[in-house]
Amino acid sequence: MAYIPVLILMVATAALGGVVLLASYLLGPKDPNKLKNEAFECGVPGTGHSGHRFSVRFYLVAILFLLFDVEAIFFFPWAVVFKKYLAINSFILVEMGFFVGILLIGYYYILRKGALEWE
């Protein structure tokens, strides 16, 4: 029963989003031409074709950044809890030491594999 207002809000939000999209589709201008249908990036005309190959290192660095960035998010709640619960600080400190150790092992592994080296 406590979640009914949240459910109502979610349904209302989805309905409003649908109404806005439908209104935009029905009321928006429809004047397609070659210039409007051309793909662009931030207002800059595209050059070349979309089949251009990129090195896998770009994707690898992006995935590794996301991996370590998401894991770094866990440091903030730990810092808040660490200061709040002074009685069990040693346990929390040891647990964070294990977490940082696992991160360092992963970081050492990707360095040894050469994932961050550019040629």
Side-chain angles (χ1 to χ4, degrees):
M1 276 314 216
Y3 293 108
I4 290 179
V6 175
L7 181 64
I8 292 171
L9 181 64
M10 289 173 61
V11 169
T13 303
L16 180 63
V19 167
V20 169
L21 285 174
L22 183 65
S24 172
Y25 175 75
L26 294 175
L27 301 175
K30 295 172 184 64
D31 185 23
N33 58 39
K34 186 177 180 184
L35 182 62
K36 284 185 179 181
N37 290 336
E38 186 176 318
F40 66 96
E41 177 84 24
C42 299
V44 178
T47 58
H49 61 87
S50 62
H52 179 70
R53 292 181 178 252
F54 288 98
S55 171
V56 72
R57 296 205 184 269
F58 288 111
Y59 303 109
L60 186 60
V61 168
I63 293 296
L64 290 173
F65 172 76
L66 287 175
L67 176 70
F68 285 104
D69 191 43
V70 167
E71 288 178 348
I73 290 172
F74 290 108
F75 285 113
F76 179 73
W78 172 78
V80 171
V81 170
F82 184 75
K83 191 171 184 176
K84 186 176 179 184
Y85 298 105
L86 295 175
I88 57 172
N89 273 346
S90 59
F91 175 73
I92 295 172
L93 191 60
V94 169
E95 289 296 319
M96 186 48 75
F98 283 133
F99 181 73
V100 170
I102 291 170
L103 283 179
L104 289 176
I105 290 170
Y107 184 67
Y108 178 73
Y109 175 77
I110 65 170
L111 281 179
R112 293 291 294 164
K113 286 291 187 178
L116 301 177
E117 294 177 9
W118 293 98
E119 296 173 356

